[in-house]
Amino acid sequence: MTAARDTHIAIVGAGVAGLAAARLARAHGARVTVLEARPRIGGRALTDDASLGWTWDRGCHWLHCADINPFTRIADRLGFAYARTPPPEHVWLSGRWADRHVHAAWAATVAARSAAIAAAGESGRDVAASETLPPHDVWSDLFAQRLAVLTGAEPDRCSTLDDTRYRDTGANWPVRAGYGRLVARWAAGVPVHLNTPVQRIAWDGPGGVALATPAGTLRADQVLVTVPTSVLARGDIAFAPALPAAHRDAIAAVPLGGANKVALRFDQDVFGTGMAHMTSRAHAPEGMAFQLLPFGRPLAIGYLGGRYAERMEAEGPGAMVARAREILADAFGSRVHRAVSAWAVTQWSGDPFSRGAYSIALPGYAHRRRVLPEPVGGRLRFAGEACDLAHFGTVNAAYVSGRRAAAHALDVPVPADAAHDGDPQHHHA
């Protein structure tokens, strides 16, 4: 890499935040260089067509808050279909399926406990969600598992204030051809230096910013860093001088939680449910939520969350697959074992360029999320899903954060779709 002193903005990371920042900056005529450590773009947006012979997303899959998500419009423009109607949900008990009365009890439980978490945050209390929950009962384990799958953390690591700020419109639509593929198509025109990890950023020198990489040093007027907070916390990128204490504390306060998937392909339909969601109270809290037959494909996708996802990842793919088969076979019979013809798993916590799944705020520290996007020394800014108060943990958060950071760096008006975090309403627990 040549010493490109004429680069206006250097962007570290070609996930959605970095790509969105690059697109906006290029639209304003800025000279932009995007550096990506991976051999591909997209970050935690990755569609897999090869491992199972059917399309599934290893990372993001749902257009969260789809009625206000910018990627819904992008999907429409690029011809990507998505499902608007939520599929039915089935809950396996011990030896039987939940009937409508049990389903109603479960729905009421989710609503009441989510409201209790939200009430704590709305009152200004930033405590663990577990402090708001009732004594252990028949639904406690399944609720804890549900929260871990949704947020990446169990109730004792979920901040009530963070939850209150999250805006959930209730419209969460899966992308038929894959969210990762949608992101790749949208970003196809952005030039990116792949396989180029940034090792050191000198951000306070008289000549601008200097970014050291194995390919050489890049110089720029501004730098936007969009890599995940858990990667930053490990010190994989050195900063010279060291980051201010406020930013170091903010990075530590909003790590990535744990989330993984187990994908199974079947050579026959053993479910008879059509496209559906399924979870098992009998196997909670160390179980999985399943997406069955997504878009009619002969697949079951199991979702693991929190520490359990991290522990199972450490035990290895064989253990993850065995657990998924065990849960499904308990509900659908031993034919599950005979019908599995292929499998694949994700391992996001061990991925050196992710170190987790999506951002959580540790209880008592949600206020530090606001610090992350604040400029450092006038030349350095951070962007990514962890930097957004209302939609953290989502692709739309990364998108608006990247665009907002680029606009501030260029000193141009912030686009309407990235102007603010929105008014938190509804709650994601």
Side-chain angles (χ1 to χ4, degrees):
M1 180 180 294
T2 59
R5 293 187 64 88
D6 62 346
T7 296
H8 187 187
I9 298 181
I11 298 174
V12 184
V16 170
L19 295 167
R23 285 173 59 94
L24 184 140
R26 283 162 55 84
H28 282 275
R31 297 177 299 278
V32 180
T33 302
V34 184
L35 307 176
E36 169 56 48
R38 301 180 193 271
R40 61 172 179 83
I41 66 170
R44 287 163 280 166
L46 176 60
T47 299
D48 181 349
D49 294 317
S51 63
L52 301 179
W54 294 91
T55 297
W56 67 288
D57 274 307
R58 287 182 168 269
C60 55
H61 179 57
W62 312 88
L63 290 164
H64 289 294
C65 300
D67 47 344
I68 60 173
N69 187 332
F71 268 93
T72 304
R73 297 192 302 274
I74 293 169
D76 291 339
R77 186 174 74 246
L78 297 178
F80 279 69
Y82 42 81
R84 292 173 176 260
T85 304
E89 180 179 1
H90 305 286
V91 179
W92 178 251
L93 307 174
S94 293
R96 65 185 179 91
W97 292 102
D99 59 23
R100 62 184 180 88
H101 301 293
V102 177
H103 269 288
W106 169 231
T109 296
V110 170
R113 296 181 190 187
S114 298
I117 294 170
E122 288 165 354
S123 71
R125 295 174 63 211
D126 185 5
V127 299
S130 55
E131 294 188 24
T132 73
L133 301 179
H136 192 276
D137 63 13
V138 69
W139 292 117
S140 295
D141 289 343
L142 188 58
F143 185 82
Q145 176 182 298
R146 179 182 187 275
L147 196 62
V149 167
L150 287 176
T151 68
E154 290 83 358
D156 67 305
R157 296 188 76 215
C158 286
S159 157
T160 53
L161 183 57
D162 216 34
D163 174 83
T164 295
R165 289 173 174 164
Y166 186 88
R167 182 179 183 183
D168 185 359
T169 67
N172 300 298
W173 302 339
V175 182
R176 177 184 291 273
Y179 210 154
R181 182 177 290 157
L182 170 60
V183 167
R185 179 81 62 81
W186 159 77
V190 179
V192 177
H193 294 266
L194 300 175
N195 299 302
T196 310
V198 173
Q199 300 161 321
R200 183 176 183 270
I201 300 175
W203 55 271
D204 199 26
V209 180
L211 297 89
T213 81
T217 298
L218 174 72
R219 300 187 183 278
D221 297 324
Q222 301 270 342
V223 59
L224 304 183
V225 178
T226 70
V227 303
T229 52
S230 289
V231 173
L232 295 172
R234 286 175 58 93
D236 292 349
I237 299 176
F239 290 88
L243 293 175
H247 277 80
R248 296 199 307 270
D249 291 344
I251 288 167
V254 288
L256 269 61
N260 276 309
K261 299 179 184 180
V262 178
L264 305 176
R265 188 185 77 191
F266 293 82
D267 60 15
Q268 59 182 285
D269 182 1
V270 298
F271 305 116
T273 60
M275 185 171 171
H277 291 153
M278 174 263 178
T279 191
S280 172
R281 190 177 73 180
H283 296 89
E286 297 190 337
M288 305 179 193
F290 286 90
Q291 187 183 21
L292 304 178
L293 306 177
F295 296 102
R297 297 164 188 149
L299 305 175
I301 313 293
Y303 293 75
L304 303 81
R307 297 185 190 93
Y308 178 62
E310 295 169 347
R311 192 176 82 242
M312 290 300 291
E313 178 176 335
E315 290 185 18
M320 296 169 71
V321 172
R323 181 60 169 160
R325 293 171 65 143
E326 175 189 5
I327 296 169
L328 290 173
D330 185 38
F332 295 101
S334 61
R335 57 184 179 162
V336 164
H337 295 300
R338 297 190 297 273
V340 173
S341 57
W343 56 264
V345 305
T346 68
Q347 297 174 295
W348 288 110
S349 294
D351 184 321
F353 307 123
S354 294
R355 302 293 182 189
Y358 28 78
S359 171
I360 61 173
L362 299 178
Y365 298 99
H367 62 285
R368 291 183 175 166
R369 194 184 287 280
R370 290 187 181 275
V371 175
L372 278 176
E374 293 178 359
V376 182
R379 294 183 181 275
L380 166 63
R381 285 177 168 81
F382 293 94
E385 52 92 358
C387 296
D388 191 82
L389 294 181
H391 297 107
F392 53 87
T394 68
V395 172
N396 34 317
Y399 175 89
V400 300
S401 175
R403 285 168 64 78
R404 191 183 304 134
H408 287 315
L410 293 169
D411 195 23
V412 300
V414 176
D417 64 0
H420 55 78
D421 284 332
D423 293 321
Q425 62 180 347
H426 310 299
H427 302 283
H428 113 287

